[in-house]
Amino acid sequence: MGMPLELNTMIVTKGREKRVEENLFVLVKEGYRLYPIDIPIDVKKTMDSDSSGSAVIKKVEWENSSTTITYQLVSLNSTN
Amino acid sequence: MGMPLELNTMIVTKGREKRVEENLFVLVKEGYRLYPIDIPIDVKKTMDSDSSGSAVIKKVEWENSSTTITYQLVSLNSTN
Amino acid sequence: MGMPLELNTMIVTKGREKRVEENLFVLVKEGYRLYPIDIPIDVKKTMDSDSSGSAVIKKVEWENSSTTITYQLVSLNSTN
Amino acid sequence: MGMPLELNTMIVTKGREKRVEENLFVLVKEGYRLYPIDIPIDVKKTMDSDSSGSAVIKKVEWENSSTTITYQLVSLNSTN
C-alpha cells in the first residue's frame, strides 16, 4: 500500500484551465500530483503539442483525490 | 537548484493546530512538505513525545513557502 | 502524463526480504516508490499485520520500474 | 522532523558527469534528490546555461546523503 503520486515536470492544460486574473490560471487535475512550485516550467495544451509558454506555479492543493494548481503565465510562445 | 521539499511521515503539531470542527484541525508548517494523504499517520506534540493519536490528512496546500494541512483525528491515545 | 510514484511510510516485506548481513536486508518492490531514508520506520510482514519491528533504510535504488531498498533492522517486536 | 528532498526537473552536470558507455553517463549530486525517471529531461552544464541536450534517467540511487543518477543522452543541441 501507500499513496499514489504522479511527478509532473510541466503543466498540460488540455484546455481546462480557468482564468482567475490577468495572467493567473487555475487548473484541476485528477489524482495527487507533485509539481515544482515557484520555478518556471513549460505549459502545453496536450502532451504532444509544443510548449505554448512558461508558467510559475504559485499554489498546489491536494484534496479528494485531485490536485488544483494556481499558476502565473510568465511567457507565451508565438504560434505562427 | 530545484525545489526543496521535506518528506514527513507523521504530524508534529508543536501545539499550533487550530480546531476547525469537532475532530478536524488545521496546521501550518514552514516550507513545502510532502505528507501522505488519506492514510492514518501518527500525531505527536513534539518530535520526541509519544504518539498522541492517529489522524488522516484530508487536504494539503502549498503556497508562499508554507504547507497547510487539514487533518481529522481518528483516534486518541490516553495519556494517564 | 508524468512519472507514477508511490509514497510509502513503512516497509511491507511480504516475506520477500533477503538477508545480506546480520541486520541488513534487501527488498525489491514493484514500481517507483518513495521511502523516507535514514529515519526509523515500521516493518510489517503484510499490510494488515502488526508491526514486526523498526528499520532504517540505508539505500534506495530506482531502475526498470522497480525499487530496491536496503534496510537495517534496528528493533524487533516480540510476537508472543 | 522529516527527510529533506529536492525536486529536480532537469540535470545540471557542472561538468562532473562520468561517461560509462557511448551515451550513458553517471552523475553524483549532494543530498537526496527526486528526478523524473524514464522521461526525457533537459541537460545543462550550469543552472544558467542553455540546454545542452536531452537525456533519459535510467537509474536513481540514494545513499549516504547523496544521489547518483545514470542517464542516457538522447539528443544534443548544437552550440554554434
Side-chain angles (χ1 to χ4, degrees):
Chain A
M1 230 267 321
M3 173 200 170
L5 259 184
E6 194 183 281
L7 174 54
N8 283 245
T9 58
M10 66 183 68
I11 300 169
V12 180
T13 63
K14 297 185 182 168
R16 295 186 190 136
E17 72 277 18
K18 306 285 176 207
R19 187 189 289 260
V20 181
E21 280 177 30
E22 187 70 18
N23 291 314
L24 206 67
F25 296 84
V26 168
L27 178 66
V28 181
K29 302 286 283 186
E30 264 183 36
Y32 296 123
R33 295 171 186 239
L34 191 52
Y35 287 92
I37 193 169
D38 300 337
I39 291 174
I41 57 175
D42 272 344
V43 180
K44 292 184 173 189
K45 185 140 188 197
T46 70
M47 264 308 297
D48 300 319
S49 53
D50 290 334
S51 168
S52 56
S54 177
V56 173
I57 295 178
K58 311 300 279 182
K59 187 177 186 179
V60 174
E61 290 169 272
W62 287 349
E63 191 178 20
N64 289 332
S65 298
S66 69
T67 302
T68 304
I69 58 172
T70 305
Y71 63 91
Q72 188 160 23
L73 213 57
V74 291
S75 73
L76 261 181
N77 298 333
S78 68
T79 53
N80 47 312
Chain B
M1 229 267 321
M3 173 200 171
L5 261 185
E6 194 183 281
L7 174 53
N8 284 244
T9 57
M10 66 184 68
I11 300 169
V12 180
T13 64
K14 296 184 183 168
R16 295 187 190 134
E17 73 278 19
K18 306 285 175 206
R19 187 188 290 259
V20 181
E21 281 175 31
E22 187 71 17
N23 291 315
L24 204 67
F25 296 84
V26 169
L27 178 66
V28 181
K29 301 287 282 186
E30 264 183 37
Y32 296 124
R33 294 170 186 240
L34 191 53
Y35 286 92
I37 192 169
D38 301 337
I39 290 174
I41 57 175
D42 272 344
V43 180
K44 293 183 174 191
K45 185 141 188 196
T46 70
M47 262 310 295
D48 301 320
S49 53
D50 290 334
S51 168
S52 55
S54 177
V56 173
I57 296 179
K58 311 300 278 182
K59 187 177 186 180
V60 175
E61 290 168 271
W62 287 349
E63 190 177 22
N64 290 330
S65 298
S66 69
T67 302
T68 304
I69 57 173
T70 305
Y71 62 91
Q72 188 161 22
L73 213 56
V74 292
S75 73
L76 261 181
N77 298 331
S78 69
T79 54
N80 47 312
Chain C
M1 229 267 322
M3 172 198 171
L5 261 184
E6 194 183 281
L7 174 54
N8 283 245
T9 57
M10 66 184 69
I11 299 169
V12 180
T13 64
K14 296 183 182 170
R16 297 188 188 134
E17 72 278 18
K18 306 285 176 205
R19 186 188 289 260
V20 181
E21 279 177 32
E22 187 69 18
N23 291 316
L24 204 68
F25 296 83
V26 169
L27 177 67
V28 181
K29 301 287 281 186
E30 264 182 37
Y32 297 123
R33 293 170 187 242
L34 192 53
Y35 287 93
I37 194 169
D38 302 337
I39 290 174
I41 57 175
D42 272 344
V43 180
K44 293 184 174 189
K45 185 143 188 194
T46 69
M47 264 307 299
D48 300 318
S49 54
D50 290 333
S51 168
S52 56
S54 176
V56 173
I57 295 179
K58 311 300 279 182
K59 188 177 185 177
V60 175
E61 290 168 271
W62 286 350
E63 190 177 21
N64 290 331
S65 298
S66 69
T67 302
T68 304
I69 58 173
T70 304
Y71 63 91
Q72 189 161 22
L73 213 55
V74 291
S75 73
L76 261 181
N77 299 333
S78 68
T79 53
N80 47 311
Chain D
M1 229 271 320
M3 172 199 171
L5 262 184
E6 194 183 281
L7 174 54
N8 284 245
T9 57
M10 65 184 69
I11 300 169
V12 180
T13 64
K14 296 185 182 169
R16 295 187 190 135
E17 72 278 19
K18 306 286 177 204
R19 186 188 290 261
V20 181
E21 279 177 32
E22 187 70 18
N23 291 315
L24 205 68
F25 296 83
V26 169
L27 177 66
V28 181
K29 302 288 282 186
E30 263 183 38
Y32 297 123
R33 293 169 187 243
L34 191 53
Y35 286 93
I37 194 168
D38 302 336
I39 291 174
I41 56 175
D42 273 344
V43 180
K44 293 184 174 190
K45 185 142 188 195
T46 69
M47 265 308 299
D48 300 319
S49 54
D50 290 333
S51 168
S52 56
S54 177
V56 173
I57 295 179
K58 311 300 279 182
K59 188 177 184 178
V60 174
E61 289 168 272
W62 287 349
E63 191 177 22
N64 290 330
S65 298
S66 69
T67 303
T68 304
I69 57 173
T70 304
Y71 62 90
Q72 189 161 21
L73 213 56
V74 291
S75 72
L76 261 180
N77 299 333
S78 68
T79 54
N80 47 310

